[in-house]
Amino acid sequence: MNAVRVRTSPSLALVKYWGKLEGPHNLPATTSVALTLAGLDTTTTARSAGRGAGAADQVMLDGEGQPPARFQAFFDEARRLFKSGQRFNADSHNSFPSSAGLASSSSGFAALALAAARLAGLTPGAETAALASEAARLGSASAARAVYGGFTVLPAGARRAERLYGPEYWPELRVLVAVTSRVPKDDSSRGAMERTRLSSPYYRAWVDDAKLLADEALFALAAKDLQKLGELMRLSYLRMHASAMAADPPALYWLPASLACIRACAALRARGIGAWETMDAGPQVKVLCLESELAAVRSALAEAEPTLSFIETRPGPDPDIEELA
Ligand code: 2P0
């Protein structure tokens, strides 16, 4: 087999990873709890590009060649973990805006890791998924989670993510993505979280506090308690952003439309509708709710901010891996 096609979906953190342990291994400083988003797809076709001198790794994303330096540590770790000497050639496409706070690096590196594992001849199964999670982490820590569908946890300091529940665990759960802007961000999450670690006076407090939030969120998820989970999500994203906004220079991802969504969710909750928002390293707002209330949530947000576009999604399936002739 010379080529493989992998489809993955981005990993949305309910409780956030923001900040790394010191050192070269891209280990997260905080535990994140996440779900994979159905219907937002990264599709990556990868081929072996030979071995030894003269062979090189190459990645294209939506038709554009990517800087090799961004992928070097990932490919080197993948070769080490998969006991493979080969180089890889990958062509990747996203069905949603890249680098705009929709976690495209999570689905992107997860797809690359799963493709490289298959090309290296690893047998599909739990151990290969775990090794792919470990390799993907070197690309983006959130990508360690995106090798699984459903719900995952990436513990602080861990080398790989763990699956918590499969995609069908909470069938009524929906995520409404409110797209406030499709412009690629100019402040990468990697740079912003490192700046937060180095310069925000609130970084230490964020990390110390995050452990309790993650533990409680795991209980709330086990109980399918949307209100409790929502309250913990809200603390996590607002404390993450508060620490990032206090960096020097600040990392400020919010747009006026983002704030309009946040306020619309608060108004919905005041009316008894469970709409729980979260935000990542970008201006989009993702709202967790139940299927029965999705239409009400969507129309309230559209009324509050007519410029929004929406993506309706839910916990996503496991990655799809197809061998090509
Ligand atoms: C998360 N984010 O848990 C958090 C919440 C953004 C906000 O993981 O430096 O692209 O490549 O490991 O994974 C985005 O950061 O960062 C992210 P790197 P990544 O989903």
Side-chain angles (χ1 to χ4, degrees):
M1 184 253 316
N2 291 319
V4 62
R5 186 183 301 131
V6 179
R7 186 206 46 72
T8 54
S9 295
S11 170
L12 171 67
L14 308 176
V15 171
K16 306 296 185 190
Y17 147 59
W18 192 255
K20 303 171 196 299
L21 299 184
E22 277 188 57
H25 302 295
N26 209 32
L27 294 165
T30 60
T31 297
S32 48
V33 179
L35 60 81
T36 299
L37 297 178
L40 281 72
D41 292 328
T42 295
T43 306
T44 298
T45 306
R47 296 184 163 72
S48 174
R51 296 161 195 267
D57 301 311
Q58 276 189 326
V59 178
M60 301 276 288
L61 173 59
D62 290 332
E64 285 191 27
Q66 299 298 299
R70 177 68 183 89
F71 293 83
Q72 186 73 49
F74 161 76
F75 279 122
D76 288 347
E77 181 71 347
R79 278 186 280 273
R80 187 184 74 78
L81 287 166
F82 305 158
K83 300 186 173 41
S84 164
Q86 62 189 315
R87 308 276 156 172
F88 301 98
N89 184 325
D91 185 14
S92 197
H93 294 271
N94 288 330
S95 71
F96 58 96
S98 304
S99 302
L102 290 172
S104 56
S105 64
S106 69
S107 48
F109 279 105
L112 273 182
L114 291 163
R118 184 63 68 92
L119 288 171
L122 271 61
T123 316
E127 183 52 24
T128 294
L131 285 175
S133 174
E134 198 166 330
R137 191 198 77 249
L138 259 288
S140 271
S142 53
R145 305 183 312 235
V147 302
Y148 301 106
F151 298 81
T152 55
V153 60
L154 176 62
R159 306 186 74 85
R160 45 177 78 167
E162 295 158 31
R163 181 206 281 289
L164 289 169
Y165 307 104
E168 300 307 325
Y169 170 69
W170 196 343
E172 308 83 17
L173 197 65
R174 294 291 179 275
V175 178
L176 181 66
V177 180
V179 179
T180 60
S181 167
R182 290 172 180 267
V183 178
K185 62 190 169 197
D186 51 14
D187 194 1
S188 75
S189 42
R190 179 160 292 199
M193 74 170 76
E194 188 61 359
R195 221 161 64 237
T196 307
R197 181 176 78 84
L198 293 173
S199 69
S200 173
Y202 305 149
Y203 178 71
R204 203 60 261 164
W206 150 250
V207 171
D208 289 346
D209 174 76
K211 183 169 176 2
L212 189 60
L213 289 187
D215 287 347
E216 290 190 14
L218 290 173
F219 278 115
L221 185 56
K224 296 184 191 165
D225 183 339
L226 181 61
Q227 163 132 0
K228 184 70 190 158
L229 183 62
E231 288 170 359
L232 293 161
M233 281 169 56
R234 183 173 56 180
L235 289 175
S236 180
Y237 94 88
L238 286 171
R239 288 175 182 176
M240 177 203 118
H241 280 272
S243 71
M245 286 180 200
D248 181 15
L252 177 55
Y253 290 107
W254 298 16
L255 292 175
S258 319
L259 193 53
C261 292
I262 292 171
R263 295 181 71 91
C265 287
L268 281 161
R269 293 194 297 271
R271 285 166 45 203
I273 295 174
W276 296 97
E277 81 285 355
T278 186
M279 287 182 65
D280 295 291
Q284 327 307 354
V285 181
K286 297 98 177 185
V287 185
L288 223 67
C289 64
L290 297 178
E291 181 186 14
S292 55
E293 296 182 327
L294 179 65
V297 174
R298 181 174 175 149
S299 68
L301 265 65
E303 193 176 323
E305 181 56 50
T307 62
L308 296 176
S309 59
F310 294 100
I311 306 169
E312 293 183 2
T313 174
R314 57 189 293 171
D318 281 331
D320 185 58
I321 307 174
E322 184 189 353
E323 293 184 3
L324 305 177

